[in-house]
Amino acid sequence: MQQSSEEFKPTMDLKDSLEILKWQIEMGVDEIIGEEQTNHLQTTVMATKPISLELEKETTSKREPSKSLIPENAPQSKVVNKAKALEDAEKLVSEVSTRQELKEALEAFQHCSFRNTAKNLVFSDGNPQAWLMVLGEAPGRDEDIMGKPFVGVSGKLLDKIFSEVGLARTNTQPQDSIYISNSINWRPPGNRTPTTQEIEMFRPFIWKHIELIKPKILMLTGNIACTAILNKAGITKLRGTWEKIDYMDVMPTVHPAFLLRNPIFKQHIWQDILAIKKKLIDLERDENA
Ligand code: URA
């Protein structure tokens, strides 16, 4: 429909707007997450920020370095109280004795701002009796929509690799199945990398999750999972080396999304999966001895 110049007074040249829109689509923008960008931790400071479009990365894309929404000069104690977040997380998990209760505790945890932009809590998938638990990083777009971990491109690759050695989340035998969760259970906006502080506030939930599943083997995919569990990063050096934590054998390995960008690491993840499979066979033999 034609509009008269009185009715429609663009503040920007239409051609420029179209060029910008075209560029945004090429860059992968496919979703607007809100009319206004809101830092729910400090609404007053952010109230004047301009409209933001969330740049969606495909599931395999590299996570962006964290860009804090918090202005540098903001008083830290007012922005987020790390000790209080941890205290509340610990209090919530102290009352948990089932996976359902853990899920409810995560839903009740108010300190992580990701919950404000995420669609769904992404809790877990697979067999809770599995001897092998896989801990990923954080949900991406597909996981956020489905409410399940590792259902996007990198998840499909992971399933394919596991299927080569007879492991699957749908298997019923504990020694042949997998239980999967993430270090962070809400999708970070724009797939950005969570900060150390954000990783830390989920630790009590992760450890409770591990305690409830009691896996014999814990596989850590990527640096965020290594930071959460081992308190260290540098996955290309950490991968392939067993660590022992209490009763669990822990194996760090490269994240499947990293693998998709760096296929040269295929042989490394393959070695790690074979080492895990061998350990499962040894454990089964020991159980039957
Ligand atoms: N990457 C992860 O680390 N976890 C997911 O659930 C999906 C992608």
Side-chain angles (χ1 to χ4, degrees), residues 16-231:
D16 287 349
S17 314
L18 282 172
E19 281 305 308
I20 289 170
L21 188 60
K22 211 171 122 209
W23 176 81
Q24 286 171 332
I25 291 166
E26 276 166 14
M27 290 296 107
V29 174
D30 66 356
E31 193 177 2
I32 299 170
I33 58 168
E35 294 280 295
E36 300 267 327
Q37 183 174 18
T38 309
N39 176 357
H40 294 269
L41 296 171
Q42 195 164 24
T43 26
T44 49
V45 177
M46 295 303 296
T48 54
K49 283 267 170 178
I51 290 171
S52 91
L53 289 178
E54 182 180 2
L55 282 177
E56 173 59 74
K57 309 283 179 309
E58 56 182 78
T59 318
T60 62
S61 69
K62 191 169 174 355
R63 287 188 187 278
E64 288 295 305
S66 317
K67 279 187 216 96
S68 178
L69 294 176
I70 300 161
E72 273 170 22
N73 59 355
Q76 200 57 25
S77 58
K78 278 205 189 144
V79 172
V80 72
N81 186 330
K82 181 178 159 189
K84 175 84 174 100
L86 265 180
E87 189 190 316
D88 285 358
E90 268 154 19
K91 184 165 182 311
L92 280 165
V93 301
S94 71
E95 286 152 21
V96 161
S97 53
T98 63
R99 287 189 314 123
Q100 180 56 33
E101 285 171 4
L102 181 62
K103 198 171 170 203
E104 286 164 15
L106 275 161
E107 270 157 0
F109 184 60
Q110 298 296 323
H111 290 276
C112 181
S113 62
F114 299 165
R115 55 181 296 131
N116 301 324
T117 45
K119 291 186 175 67
N120 285 300
L121 177 82
V122 177
F123 186 65
S124 72
D125 194 24
N127 180 0
Q129 311 298 323
W131 286 1
L132 172 61
M133 177 166 175
V134 177
L135 195 68
E137 299 194 325
R141 182 173 184 270
D142 297 327
E143 291 75 20
D144 185 34
I145 292 168
M146 306 274 290
K148 261 192 196 181
F150 283 105
V151 290
V153 185
S154 56
K156 291 199 171 74
L157 176 61
L158 198 63
D159 284 344
K160 188 165 185 313
I161 297 170
F162 277 130
S163 74
E164 296 290 332
V165 291
L167 298 173
R169 11 184 158 185
T170 48
N171 284 350
T172 50
Q173 292 298 313
Q175 62 273 30
D176 296 334
S177 53
I178 304 160
Y179 183 80
I180 302 192
S181 188
N182 277 315
S183 307
I184 293 200
N185 303 89
W186 299 100
R187 180 194 180 204
N191 278 5
R192 75 160 168 83
T193 304
T195 63
T196 310
Q197 188 164 321
E198 286 158 347
I199 298 169
E200 282 173 359
M201 71 169 92
F202 279 90
R203 270 205 190 117
F205 299 100
I206 302 173
W207 281 111
K208 178 55 84 174
H209 212 154
I210 292 170
E211 189 189 314
L212 293 172
I213 300 301
K214 292 193 181 55
K216 293 179 192 291
I217 300 174
L218 179 66
M219 179 174 130
L220 306 174
T221 60
N223 272 324
I224 295 170
C226 288
T227 304
I229 298 296
L230 306 174
N231 211 9

Side-chain angles (χ1 to χ4, degrees), residues 132-135 216-222 225-226 229-230 235 238-245 248-254 268-269 271-277 279:
L132 172 61
M133 177 166 175
V134 177
L135 195 68
K216 293 179 192 291
I217 300 174
L218 179 66
M219 179 174 130
L220 306 174
T221 60
C226 288
I229 298 296
L230 306 174
I235 193 63
L238 292 173
R239 63 140 290 273
T241 310
W242 288 106
E243 301 239 3
K244 192 90 183 168
I245 302 181
M248 268 185 324
D249 289 300
V250 181
M251 171 63 83
T253 193
V254 292
H268 295 107
I269 197 169
Q271 279 168 10
D272 302 343
I273 298 283
L274 286 177
I276 288 172
K277 178 66 182 179
K279 180 84 70 186

